[in-house]
């Protein structure tokens, strides 16, 4: 299995490639995340039956913590019912985290678009929502206009910006209920 995973190439982001090569199996074993592989069906169904990963998504559960200064309107929207519990403002909300979303560099947008990858993740999350509930999918991406626009075009809304020593991140959410 690790030989197949190590064949994945992502020249645009070494962290994405490294996760699949070095951490995805470990995360599976400890139930920290689930990684879903999108394979090249044509190569799999060919006479020589080659298993080639053209993309993947990695999903996990996460607790979204919001600032104590956030409005009650936002809290109630995130909770779906209340802004407070026992008179105390709710600050933590369970979400489905889309932790990784990637296409192999040898494939083009027309082979597998980012929106198609994202839809794969949302479809898995929708199954989980149907089984156990939940309200939001979340992504944390680099604070880059191109990425933010991509997620906005796919229904995500910016929630907050997270400062980071290396690269600031943006948390974005999308209703999945």
């Amino acid at each position: 299995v690790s030989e197949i995973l190590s064949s994945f190439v992502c020249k645009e982001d070494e962290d994405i490639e490294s996760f699949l090569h070095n951490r995805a199996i470990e995360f599976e074993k400890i139930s920290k995340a689930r990684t879903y592989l999108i394979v090249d069906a044509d190569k799999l169904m060919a006479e020589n039956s080659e298993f080639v990963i053209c993309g993947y998504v990695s999903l996990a559960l996460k607790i979204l913590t919001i600032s104590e200064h956030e409005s009650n309107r936002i809290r109630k929207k995130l909770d779906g019912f209340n802004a407070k519990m026992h008179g105390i403002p709710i600050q933590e909300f369970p979400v489905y985290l889309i932790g990784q979303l990637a296409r192999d560099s040898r494939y083009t947008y027309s082979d597998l678009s980012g929106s198609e990858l994202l839809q794969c993740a949302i479809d898995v999350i929708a199954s989980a929502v149907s089984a156990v509930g939940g309200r939001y999918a979340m992504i944390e991406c680099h604070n880059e206009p191109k990425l933010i626009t991509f997620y906005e075009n796919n229904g995500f809304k910016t929630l907050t910006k997270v400062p980071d020593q290396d690269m600031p991140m943006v948390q974005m959410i999308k209703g999945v209920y």
Side-chain angles (χ1 to χ4, degrees):
V1 173
S2 61
E3 181 180 309
I4 293 169
L5 297 181
S6 66
S7 69
F8 181 86
V9 176
C10 185
K11 295 177 182 174
E12 293 79 24
D13 191 330
E14 289 180 13
D15 289 339
I16 286 174
E17 183 179 298
S18 177
F19 175 82
L20 191 60
H21 292 182
N22 304 309
R23 311 232 31 220
I25 292 174
E26 179 184 341
F27 277 36
E28 284 282 335
K29 287 179 181 175
I30 62 172
S31 285
K32 186 170 182 166
R34 296 286 182 248
T35 298
Y36 297 85
L37 306 176
I38 293 88
V39 299
D40 187 322
D42 292 335
K43 290 185 179 179
L44 188 61
M45 302 304 285
E47 193 173 315
N48 61 352
S49 188
E50 189 179 2
F51 192 94
V52 177
I53 301 167
C54 47
Y56 81 94
V57 297
S58 186
L59 307 174
L61 296 172
K62 182 171 175 105
I63 299 297
L64 169 64
T65 303
I66 64 169
S67 164
E68 60 190 35
H69 305 293
E70 197 64 65
S71 74
N72 281 338
R73 181 183 58 79
I74 297 292
R75 291 173 202 286
K76 187 172 184 178
K77 183 176 180 178
L78 288 170
D79 183 67
F81 194 65
N82 287 317
K84 296 179 180 182
M85 186 176 286
H86 307 294
I88 300 169
I90 301 171
Q91 286 186 260
E92 297 181 331
F93 304 88
V95 295
Y96 295 96
L97 176 67
I98 302 172
Q100 303 287 339
L101 182 77
R103 176 180 55 240
D104 187 292
S105 295
R106 295 168 288 193
Y107 288 83
T108 65
Y109 176 86
S110 62
D111 295 323
L112 178 64
S113 72
S115 294
E116 289 171 312
L117 275 168
L118 190 54
Q119 190 59 53
C120 288
I122 295 297
D123 289 347
V124 173
I125 291 168
S127 294
V129 167
S130 177
V132 299
R135 296 180 48 78
Y136 290 95
M138 183 174 93
I139 58 95
E140 294 176 319
C141 68
H142 296 297
N143 190 8
E144 296 176 10
K146 183 178 175 181
L147 283 174
I148 292 168
T149 299
F150 166 75
Y151 286 112
E152 286 174 343
N153 289 342
N154 283 280
F156 283 79
K157 299 198 180 314
T158 299
L159 185 63
T160 188
K161 295 185 177 177
V162 180
D164 187 294
Q165 296 86 341
D166 299 326
M167 168 96 51
M169 302 293 279
V170 176
Q171 291 180 326
M172 301 179 80
I173 60 171
K174 176 180 180 168
V176 290
Y177 49 96

